[in-house]
Amino acid sequence: MNAVLDVVSVVLVLIGALLCLTAAIGVLRFKDVPTRLHAATKPQVLGLILICLAIALSLRSWPVVAFLIPVVVVQLATAPLSAHMVGRQAYRNGTIDEKALVVDELARDRAGR
């Protein structure tokens, strides 16, 4: 059973690292703010969750799990929030191509100022 859990841990670390790598490549390669934000948040958070799960499976200790749960919760709370703030600021600065937006929910707020 220990060998199976170790193999699962290694696979989870590799998948998590691959997801974090694709997030980094996406931030470098994508050309506009919304796609960079998507690349910076979605795969990176999932990669971190998989790596934390691998650590928990590998160490098999409840104190480790108790330490990793707040790490994951903070990441889940801060990544979308920071992406939202960066996206709004990019919209306000005019660095987002407004013609490419399907729905512009902030146009009314911007026109009122």
Side-chain angles (χ1 to χ4, degrees):
M1 185 64 172
N2 287 339
V4 172
L5 288 177
D6 288 339
V7 170
V8 170
S9 296
V10 168
V11 169
L12 287 174
V13 166
L14 290 175
I15 294 171
L18 183 65
L19 283 169
C20 291
L21 177 66
T22 58
I25 291 171
V27 168
L28 292 174
R29 298 283 302 192
F30 290 144
K31 59 184 175 189
D32 60 343
V33 175
T35 54
R36 284 183 179 176
L37 288 176
H38 182 75
T41 55
K42 305 287 184 193
Q44 186 268 336
V45 171
L46 182 59
L48 177 81
I49 291 171
L50 291 177
I51 291 171
C52 287
L53 183 61
I55 292 169
L57 285 175
S58 176
L59 296 178
R60 297 176 194 94
S61 169
W62 286 111
V64 171
V65 172
F67 179 77
L68 291 174
I69 287 174
V71 170
V72 170
V73 169
V74 167
Q75 185 67 28
L76 286 171
T78 58
L81 180 65
S82 62
H84 174 76
M85 297 304 292
V86 169
R88 275 191 80 113
Q89 189 60 38
Y91 182 83
R92 288 179 182 160
N93 288 344
T95 55
I96 291 181
D97 183 19
E98 294 179 24
K99 292 177 268 186
L101 298 175
V102 176
V103 177
D104 190 358
E105 296 174 353
L106 296 175
R108 181 184 49 192
D109 293 340
R110 193 172 188 196
R113 292 184 182 179

